[in-house]
Amino acid sequence: MKTPDDYNFSGKKALVRVDFNVPLNENFTITDDTRIRAALPTINKIIGDGGAVILMSHLGRPKGLIQDKYSLKPIIKHLSALLGREVKFAKDCINSEAKAMAKDLIPGDVLLLENLRFHKQEEAGTESFAEELASLGDIYINDAFGTAHRAHASTTVVAKFFQEKAFGYLLADEVRNIEKVLNNAERPLTAILGGAKVSGKILIIEQLMDKIDNLIIGGGMAYTFIKAQGGKVGSSLVEDDRIETAKGILEIAKQKNVRIHLPLDTIYADSFSNEANTGVCAINQIPAGKMGLDIGPETEKMYAKVIACSKTILWNGPMGVFEMENFAHGTKSLADAIVDATSNGAYSLVGGGDSVAAINKFNLASKVSYVSTGGGAMLEYLEGKTLPGVAALN
């Protein structure tokens, strides 16, 4: 795996795919710059060597249409402040202006290209579009783990036009940390899967069954498992077409000596609202018309014990509707347990959009071992799929 450490960028122009798909508010102000900061080590290495940087990214889903709300212009001022130097901006990524600006770069310069997805050829993986992008730089670096599962022009196809190419520091770290959990974990290894649906996690569960000792299940997907065991779940979220799947997972776990931990109790509500009337009951005895929206206190204690005995922890998916304060306690308690285990020497990897949002909401990101920046990419990696953006660099 080649990284920026394998190159001296002096006098070179590096074409770097970053993931600046950051959230903006109605005033086009960045509300979370995590992904921008994640790219800084790679950028700083290049300019520190005396190279120039050409950054390319997408923002949102403009579907080939030029739209102001998807412009990367709001990134310029913030990135300039983070780098301590003026960032130049090209109003397109492949037009004559962009090519001229790239050609005129001098050592230490940083150029940001406009949204790649203003061209339909980006998501289509059009080779001629990738070749035009490649003409801008001497070395290609992919540092966008969040899009590494997409075979797009800038993430995959462009690599074929370079003799010199490398993993950015972020991409390399992401791959190393996921590989550590999948193939080099200290045992016991506990996977925690939450979120709404079983269907979205089936492939991960199947892939992990030969690697883990414990599987903790929470979130909406738990109620499908409880119903599969004959429990009463009221009007909780259930995938009735996945009942047999859940039964099959429970049976496979038995065969492979994987301990599956399902919730004991739940916080239920009479409507999907933070202002709803709530109560606590056994998770298999939810009253008719009530819906489970979080794990209960007995479950919190049980899960904390399992986590405390783990040496490696993988967390993907919340335990409840953590966006609502009245149903965030289960997810917070789980995060606290992971933090405690980490402080006691366990290795913890947190990934997936909602889990990352939760760990950030509780201001605990710095207290776990690693927080993955790529939701979909991490899930596909855990499912055992080859990521095109990674394969293109090998």
Side-chain angles (χ1 to χ4, degrees), residues 219-240:
M221 62 188 288
Y223 302 100
T224 299
F225 281 90
I226 298 301
K227 188 170 181 179
Q229 294 180 321
K232 297 174 182 174
V233 295
S235 57
S236 303
L237 177 67
V238 169
E239 290 177 281
D240 285 313

Side-chain angles (χ1 to χ4, degrees), residues 272-274 293 321-329 361:
F272 190 79
S273 165
N274 195 51
L293 296 181
V321 189
F322 74 97
E323 299 89 347
M324 298 182 194
E325 287 304 317
N326 288 334
F327 307 106
H329 197 272
K361 176 179 178 177

Side-chain angles (χ1 to χ4, degrees), residues 310 313 335-348 367-369:
S310 304
I313 303 154
D336 286 335
I338 294 171
V339 166
D340 288 343
T342 306
S343 69
N344 287 323
Y347 173 84
S348 52
K367 297 181 179 179
V368 296
S369 304

